Amino acid sequence: MILDRHTAPFAVDVQATVLEALRRISENQARVAFLVDEHGTVRGTLSDGDVRRWLVAQPSPDLGALALDAANTDFVSVAEGTPVAEIAELFGRGIDRIPVVDDRGRLVAVATPGARTLTIGSRTVGEGSPSLIIGEIGNNHQGDVDLAKRLVDECVSAGVDTVKFQLRDMAALYRSGSSASAGEDLGAQYTMNLLAKYSLSVEDMYRVFDHCAAREVNVICTPWDLPSADALNSYGMPGYKIASADLTHHDLLTRVAGFGAPMIVSTGMSTEQEITGAVDVLRSQGAPFALLQTQSTYPAPYKDVNLRYMDRLAELGDCLVGYSGHERGWHVPVAAVARGARIIEKHVTLDKTLEGNDHKVSLLPEELSAMVRQIREVEEALGSDRPRELSTGELMNRVNLAKSLVATRDLRSGETVTAADVEVKSPGRGLQPHQRDALLGVTLHRDVPSGDFFYAGDLAGRPQARSDYSFHRPWGLPVRFHDFRALLEVSEPDFLEFHQSAKDMELDLGQFFDSGEKLDQFFTVHAPDLYPGDFLIDLASPDEEIWERSIREVQRVVDLTRDLRKHFTCDEDPIVIITMGGFLPDRHLRPEERYPLYERVQQGLERVDEEGVRLTAQTLPPFPWLMGGQQFHNLFVEPEDTVWFCETYDRRLTLDVSHSKLAANFYQRPFSEYLEAMGSHTEHLHIVDSVGVDGEGVQVGEGEVDFKDLAERMDRLAPTAPFIPEIWMGHVNNGEGFFTALDRLREWF
Ligand SMILES: C=C(OP(=O)(O)O)C(=O)O
């Protein structure tokens, strides 16, 4: 059981309305709030159930009514000082939060049956949250306030959640007082001498805590004796650490538990019996606590670290567990997180050669940064045990690498598929091999040429109906040279968008168009994404060879576009969509690093003869799936620098809705900001849904884009920009995915 002295999340003013009280209940996620008057006296408790009962009893419920009307005024509470065991007996029968009140009925704590969460300052850590990373400065400040502050600053830069210090009152701590160590054993004498030299006074420590507050980083501290504990309590620490060395110091445990703030308790150099003894003390005090597995040697041999003991600690303490590390390097804390540590403590120093044991096992600031980064990466990688979902990248790779059912001969509409008509071949664009049984015996409703894929639509056994589309802006279909005729047979788009592969760039247009043929529509061209030799267009590249080739490839796309124009009736110059580049394999650039890259893009474009085309820069996602894996896009991702590029160089955009929504999600900004900023620079639209930060190309209505809002904004900001539905794999089964998207988009566009 825990006595939570952080009562603010539970308290609601007695004058609050039902709605205000409900808001508090949903914020604290405890299903109950306590109504307190101006003196802090509890006047009633209001649970979810109380509100429900009140609602059904009202002829016309009014959420603006006083919460007190719905509250339980005959509630269970306990007096401060009630033994924990007695309080524990009151839980059950719907009661899992009990107000603890002083002799005047004022709320002083909330008793809960035990929660595996701790809140330290601004940070709550629980089973499902990122781990709490503590930068242990300890005494590595060498008794110097400025050095202590610098260490705090380094911890902030490294991204730790909390910094930690140690406080000692040498006179109270050592039997021989603060200076006389002569009679001590060699080890103790060495430690005492160091501590005497390098400790900070309480006042200096407070100064450093103030610096932590100014840097907005949570700070905790280990009191090594009772006076230090009291001094820390006077400052008002949001949490306390108990060193392994104090696990058997039950008076200290009890004193600190009485402060009511969370306790993080190390268990090094202790027997299991001593650990359970400490747990009993903490429980009897109702202290919110976590236990840390620790090997109290400096540096600790890996064979003694024993991360698996965290499982046992979780059982013994029925609490959150973590790891306080004294080994070399930082791979063990990273592994500890993967093994369930919710708290990591690791020492930090500016110089490993300074005097004192701790410096040797401390991380330098850049190492601490690396540890924090790697822990966060591992936490992301841990994922969940929910049913497996394929990432967009995997889906793409699956098309390239997996197998499909294909026809062994030319099959005619009306024929029934037999085993001899079907074989398994790569790529994985059609029905998957395990769907063969479902396909056999199906009567085809279309011709399937030899080597062509069978699709889900073939199983449905009915032809796909295509309706006439009419949108209040021009609409088109993404096509390839080899499939546009088939799509034109079933639909009448205003334009075709030729999505070029590097191989398509080599093809002779005469293969696809009769000489003199002119199709009665316009067209756009999307430059290839990938070229042989893993080459990607990168007009921002500092590498001259890549940059020069990128310029050449863009020119080839422009030239092809001019050639294609002969076969279309275009009133305006055709739009060409280019992914301009600026990606990196391993990181995102800071905003100020992006501008020189845009300048480089522009220099490259100035070398391209753009006569007769409208070159546009496609807006890009933060994590493109290039060459089968995750990369990092930097340019045309955030609106400010994208708009800067457009305005500075008089350039236009192809706004890819999926890409830009992913960017908005990644940068945790409203998508509307992206649309408002980039909308008026938009020449062309790729309309498609998206999920998360890298789920692109999603079918309309199956992701997170608000299409009504999108349509309203685009009608205002880019009313004439044409669009295509750019659904990933939308072309299979003769454009099935594109037509589904168009069917859905009719509602808004
Ligand atoms: C020495 C300390 O802890 P640990 O036992 O985790 O090293 C401390 O918190 O001061």
Side-chain angles (χ1 to χ4, degrees):
M1 197 218 68
I2 286 170
L3 286 179
D4 190 347
R5 282 169 209 274
H6 184 45
T7 57
F10 298 93
V12 185
D13 190 286
V14 73
Q15 302 294 340
T17 62
V18 173
L19 184 60
E20 284 163 345
L22 276 175
R23 282 206 186 104
R24 174 52 48 89
I25 292 173
S26 51
E27 278 158 19
N28 69 22
Q29 297 182 2
R31 298 193 306 279
V32 70
F34 305 136
L35 304 175
V36 296
D37 65 17
E38 71 271 30
H39 307 296
T41 305
V42 183
R43 296 291 174 204
T45 62
L46 186 75
S47 67
D48 275 352
D50 293 328
V51 177
R52 182 172 28 82
R53 283 184 287 278
W54 175 81
L55 277 174
V56 293
Q58 303 300 305
S60 50
D62 173 12
L63 292 179
L66 272 185
L68 194 58
D69 294 347
N72 177 7
T73 47
D74 185 20
F75 53 91
V76 175
S77 69
V78 293
E80 196 175 14
T82 306
V84 164
E86 267 179 46
I87 304 176
E89 282 174 14
L90 299 174
F91 291 118
R93 299 182 313 280
I95 300 180
D96 61 3
R97 297 288 190 284
I98 300 174
V100 182
V101 295
D102 66 10
D103 51 359
R104 292 164 64 187
R106 290 176 304 197
L107 185 65
V108 290
V110 177
T112 69
R116 289 200 173 198
T117 60
L118 291 184
T119 298
I120 297 193
S122 55
R123 193 56 173 76
T124 296
V125 58
E127 294 293 4
S129 63
S131 54
L132 181 89
I133 304 178
I134 302 172
E136 159 68 319
I137 296 171
N139 259 15
N140 281 357
H141 46 61
Q142 309 298 94
D144 175 347
V145 172
D146 289 336
L147 182 52
K149 290 181 182 173
R150 266 194 66 198
L151 282 159
V152 170
D153 295 345
E154 294 293 355
C155 284
V156 172
S157 306
V160 305
D161 298 295
T162 303
V163 295
K164 184 179 108 49
F165 289 92
Q166 302 176 6
L167 187 65
R168 292 175 178 81
D169 179 325
M170 292 298 285
L173 179 58
Y174 281 98
R175 63 182 182 135
S176 48
S178 55
S179 51
S181 63
E184 302 300 346
D185 294 340
L186 293 179
Q189 200 174 55
Y190 169 78
T191 307
M192 273 186 78
N193 290 344
L194 268 182
L195 294 171
K197 216 157 58 170
Y198 294 139
S199 289
L200 282 179
S201 68
V202 170
E203 293 68 32
D204 282 345
M205 202 74 256
Y206 285 0
R207 264 181 226 123
V208 179
F209 294 162
D210 289 346
H211 181 70
C212 295
R215 295 303 320 267
E216 296 183 359
V217 65
N218 299 315
V219 58
I220 62 172
C221 191
T222 306
W224 278 74
D225 47 73
L226 295 173
S228 297
D230 292 341
L232 293 175
N233 186 38
S234 302
Y235 186 84
M237 305 300 289
Y240 293 85
K241 173 73 194 305
I242 299 292
S244 302
D246 276 313
L247 203 71
T248 57
H249 191 349
H250 291 185
D251 288 348
L252 183 71
L253 294 178
T254 306
R255 179 76 64 95
V256 174
F259 303 153
M263 296 168 70
I264 298 174
V265 181
S266 277
T267 58
M269 62 175 88
S270 307
T271 65
E272 189 157 299
Q273 217 180 3
E274 288 163 348
I275 296 170
T276 49
V279 165
D280 287 346
V281 172
L282 294 166
R283 285 226 186 97
S284 71
Q285 299 300 313
F289 70 94
L291 296 177
L292 303 190
Q293 162 62 349
T294 314
Q295 168 56 222
S296 299
T297 46
Y298 307 80
Y302 297 120
K303 70 174 178 38
D304 296 335
V305 163
N306 199 12
L307 290 180
R308 289 203 172 91
Y309 195 70
M310 287 191 300
D311 299 350
R312 181 91 179 122
L313 283 179
E315 266 172 47
L316 297 176
D318 188 19
C319 62
L320 284 184
V321 293
Y323 175 63
S324 170
H326 303 125
E327 69 298 315
R328 296 180 182 88
W330 63 91
H331 48 304
V332 173
V334 175
V337 168
R339 265 212 118 264
R342 308 311 313 131
I343 300 173
I344 291 295
E345 179 181 319
K346 192 73 182 165
H347 290 257
V348 56
T349 183
L350 293 185
D351 181 351
K352 294 190 193 193
T353 64
L354 289 175
E355 186 183 13
N357 285 344
D358 284 354
H359 293 287
K360 315 277 174 300
V361 296
S362 297
L363 299 181
L364 294 170
E366 58 274 22
E367 295 173 331
L368 187 69
S369 297
M371 183 189 83
V372 173
R373 195 176 60 249
Q374 289 172 11
I375 286 177
R376 297 306 178 217
E377 286 170 1
V378 165
E379 284 171 342
E380 254 191 84
L382 284 173
S384 79
D385 57 3
R386 286 200 301 273
R388 195 178 193 292
E389 279 179 19
L390 279 72
S391 68
T392 305
E394 267 194 330
L395 285 167
M396 291 173 170
N397 287 345
R398 181 171 158 152
V399 171
N400 299 337
L401 301 171
K403 317 287 183 301
S404 304
L405 299 176
V406 299
T408 56
R409 64 181 179 89
D410 289 341
L411 292 162
R412 311 288 301 172
S413 179
E415 276 195 71
T416 300
V417 182
T418 68
D421 299 331
V422 184
E423 63 183 337
V424 173
K425 296 271 185 195
S426 220
R429 180 137 61 96
L431 287 176
Q432 299 290 282
H434 70 289
Q435 291 169 295
R436 185 195 331 235
D437 286 352
L439 181 66
L440 298 185
V442 159
T443 302
L444 293 172
H445 59 264
R446 64 179 182 111
D447 295 343
V448 183
S450 173
D452 207 357
F453 301 101
F454 292 100
Y455 295 113
D458 295 320
L459 298 181
R462 58 183 158 69
Q464 178 83 20
R466 305 283 174 233
S467 42
D468 289 339
Y469 295 104
S470 155
F471 295 95
H472 49 267
R473 63 177 67 235
W475 68 278
L477 289 173
V479 295
R480 302 274 301 279
F481 286 144
H482 67 256
D483 68 9
F484 75 91
R485 298 272 179 198
L487 286 166
L488 287 181
E489 272 173 32
V490 293
S491 63
E492 292 179 355
D494 297 320
F495 70 101
L496 297 174
E497 180 159 316
F498 287 93
H499 280 223
Q500 293 298 93
S501 70
K503 232 176 168 163
D504 292 351
M505 294 295 299
E506 312 292 337
L507 297 172
D508 174 9
L509 291 185
Q511 281 177 256
F512 306 98
F513 298 91
D514 294 336
S515 81
E517 181 185 16
K518 239 181 177 359
L519 296 175
D520 189 19
Q521 59 213 147
F522 70 97
F523 74 100
T524 56
V525 174
H526 193 313
D529 282 333
L530 179 63
Y531 291 81
D534 288 348
F535 178 78
L536 298 162
I537 288 180
D538 188 358
L539 288 168
S541 177
D543 180 315
E544 283 302 311
E545 213 175 302
I546 294 175
W547 192 63
E548 289 291 341
R549 172 147 182 217
S550 298
I551 295 168
R552 284 200 304 277
E553 296 296 355
V554 172
Q555 187 64 63
R556 283 180 70 210
V557 177
V558 170
D559 295 345
L560 169 99
T561 308
R562 287 200 283 246
D563 284 352
L564 257 180
R565 191 168 181 171
K566 294 195 260 307
H567 297 291
F568 289 86
T569 49
C570 293
D571 296 335
E572 287 182 298
D573 290 346
I575 294 167
V576 175
I577 301 107
I578 310 269
T579 298
M580 297 286 181
F583 43 82
L584 290 178
D586 52 2
R587 73 177 183 107
H588 283 121
L589 294 173
R590 292 189 303 280
E592 65 274 17
E593 293 178 285
R594 298 175 197 156
Y595 291 91
L597 270 63
Y598 281 112
E599 284 165 16
R600 181 99 166 135
V601 169
Q602 173 60 14
Q603 283 161 13
L605 290 176
E606 280 168 9
R607 297 257 310 273
V608 175
D609 169 10
E610 300 175 45
E611 183 63 31
V613 303
R614 282 178 283 162
L615 275 192
T616 62
Q618 181 178 209
T619 63
L620 297 172
F623 301 105
W625 296 102
L626 298 171
M627 298 189 293
Q630 187 192 51
Q631 305 240 357
F632 296 72
H633 261 318
N634 296 294
L635 308 188
F636 307 100
V637 179
E638 282 211 278
E640 288 72 18
D641 45 75
T642 304
V643 167
W644 176 87
F645 175 80
C646 293
E647 287 177 350
T648 308
Y649 301 118
D650 193 18
R651 297 236 163 241
R652 306 282 291 164
L653 298 173
T654 287
L655 176 67
D656 185 299
V657 170
S658 182
H659 292 171
S660 294
K661 170 71 171 136
L662 297 174
N665 287 353
F666 175 63
Y667 287 106
Q668 300 187 352
R669 300 175 59 179
F671 186 39
S672 55
E673 279 180 17
Y674 285 60
L675 297 177
E676 288 299 320
M678 303 196 293
S680 56
H681 299 279
T682 295
E683 188 79 11
H684 186 53
L685 280 163
H686 285 171
I687 298 187
V688 51
D689 220 330
S690 67
V691 176
V693 296
D694 62 9
E696 56 181 279
V698 175
Q699 180 55 270
V700 169
E702 293 171 18
E704 297 163 351
V705 172
D706 177 346
F707 286 96
K708 180 169 181 288
D709 182 75
L710 173 75
E712 282 167 9
R713 288 180 201 276
M714 286 303 110
D715 284 352
R716 179 163 47 79
L717 297 163
T720 56
F723 81 94
I724 56 159
E726 206 190 18
I727 312 305
W728 182 68
M729 297 301 285
H731 60 288
V732 302
N733 204 14
N734 214 16
E736 195 165 3
F738 299 143
F739 292 115
T740 302
L742 291 170
D743 287 339
R744 296 179 183 178
L745 289 172
R746 274 192 294 204
E747 187 181 343
W748 308 290
F749 286 84

